[in-house]
Amino acid sequence: MSASLLTPERRVVLSRRSMWLAYATAGYNLLEGLVAIAAGAAASSTALIGFGLDSFVEVSSAAVLIWQFRSRVPEDRERLALRLIGASFFALAAWVTFDAVRSLLAGGDADASPVGIGLAIASLLVMPLLVRAKRRTGRELGSATVMADSTQTMLCTCLSAVLLVGLVLNAVWGWSWADPIAALVIAGVAVKEGVEAWRGEHCDDCAPLPAVDAATGQGSGCTDGCCTDRKA
């Protein structure tokens, strides 16, 4: 169903679902961040500590979504919400880059962390479920903000995989450099996604609109549900 053809009742349901998905994301990431930082401090692992701080960035992205959908007219806050999410991407990229470079230069050896490995596995199970639910909701609702937030969650899923590989390689073979190298790649992707969110370009996966305006018989020039909310 096109975003423009949603009934008011269905739009309310999707908006509430978006907000509750954001609450679930914030709650899980808050717990994840606290556990990761505690485990990282115990094992002297910069990767785990960085992962914990990244979880708090994800909390900030979810908080932006909650702020938007608590409005009576969420679309009015779409542009600002996208820019705030874009800023959270930049913050994520900055921290991951700083932490990765520091890990490479310091060359410190972290202890093996079974708790960290278990946390990374748990995140790889939970996060994809949130990403799928957010993208399905975002497409039907035609919300660029929900789509941008789902990308933020996907990046955190990638970081969970990076963390798991790094912790396992460090625990088994002592390859402490594997995690920061992969993290730098994730940081580059985060910058790209941040630029797109800031510019309001998270529209590729939103619901398509009819090519012809029913009232005028003319093409709208916009083939995507997000475009109707974009401003120059």
Side-chain angles (χ1 to χ4, degrees), residues 181-231:
I181 291 296
L184 287 174
V185 176
I186 299 298
V189 176
V191 170
K192 174 181 178 295
E193 295 297 336
V195 170
E196 291 181 357
W198 187 269
R199 292 176 177 175
E201 295 175 0
H202 276 273
C203 295
D204 293 341
D205 294 321
C206 291
L209 291 175
V212 178
D213 190 310
T216 65
Q218 301 295 320
S220 65
C222 173
T223 59
D224 193 275
C226 302
C227 299
T228 54
D229 295 325
R230 291 174 63 178
K231 300 179 176 65

Side-chain angles (χ1 to χ4, degrees), residues 57 60-61 64 80-94 152 190 193-195 197-199:
V57 173
S60 72
S61 177
V64 169
L80 178 57
L82 275 172
R83 291 201 167 185
L84 290 173
I85 289 177
S88 73
F89 274 118
F90 295 141
L92 169 58
Q152 173 75 287
E193 295 297 336
V195 170
W198 187 269
R199 292 176 177 175

Side-chain angles (χ1 to χ4, degrees), residues 19-60:
M19 188 168 65
W20 284 112
L21 284 170
Y23 275 122
T25 301
Y28 178 82
N29 277 275
L30 182 60
L31 177 62
E32 176 186 75
L34 293 173
V35 172
I37 289 177
S44 299
S45 170
T46 54
L48 263 173
I49 293 174
F51 181 75
L53 292 176
D54 161 70
S55 297
F56 295 140
V57 173
E58 174 70 8
V59 171
S60 72

Side-chain angles (χ1 to χ4, degrees), residues 1-229:
M1 178 182 291
S2 167
S4 64
L5 300 180
L6 288 176
T7 64
E9 293 79 11
R10 182 60 178 168
R11 186 172 293 277
V12 168
V13 168
L14 292 172
S15 295
R16 287 178 178 171
R17 183 186 300 170
S18 297
M19 188 168 65
W20 284 112
L21 284 170
Y23 275 122
T25 301
Y28 178 82
N29 277 275
L30 182 60
L31 177 62
E32 176 186 75
L34 293 173
V35 172
I37 289 177
S44 299
S45 170
T46 54
L48 263 173
I49 293 174
F51 181 75
L53 292 176
D54 161 70
S55 297
F56 295 140
V57 173
E58 174 70 8
V59 171
S60 72
S61 177
V64 169
L65 202 64
I66 292 168
W67 167 77
Q68 179 190 354
F69 283 96
R70 285 182 67 85
S71 170
R72 293 183 63 184
V73 186
E75 292 80 6
D76 290 347
R77 294 182 172 181
E78 180 103 320
R79 184 65 174 178
L80 178 57
L82 275 172
R83 291 201 167 185
L84 290 173
I85 289 177
S88 73
F89 274 118
F90 295 141
L92 169 58
W95 170 255
V96 170
T97 300
F98 169 77
D99 187 61
V101 171
R102 185 178 64 174
S103 296
L104 287 171
L105 295 179
D109 294 330
D111 297 330
S113 177
V115 173
I117 292 174
L119 180 65
I121 293 174
S123 294
L124 285 173
L125 295 175
V126 172
M127 289 297 182
L129 297 177
L130 288 172
V131 170
R132 182 179 179 182
K134 288 179 181 181
R135 287 188 173 174
R136 180 181 297 175
T137 302
R139 287 192 186 106
E140 186 176 355
L141 187 59
S143 171
T145 311
V146 177
M147 296 303 297
D149 184 60
S150 74
T151 302
Q152 173 75 287
T153 305
M154 176 57 73
L155 277 177
C156 290
T157 305
C158 294
L159 283 175
S160 299
V162 167
L163 176 69
L164 179 60
V165 170
L167 291 177
V168 170
L169 290 178
N170 184 46
V172 177
W173 288 293
W175 293 357
S176 59
W177 50 265
D179 175 56
I181 291 296
L184 287 174
V185 176
I186 299 298
V189 176
V191 170
K192 174 181 178 295
E193 295 297 336
V195 170
E196 291 181 357
W198 187 269
R199 292 176 177 175
E201 295 175 0
H202 276 273
C203 295
D204 293 341
D205 294 321
C206 291
L209 291 175
V212 178
D213 190 310
T216 65
Q218 301 295 320
S220 65
C222 173
T223 59
D224 193 275
C226 302
C227 299
T228 54
D229 295 325

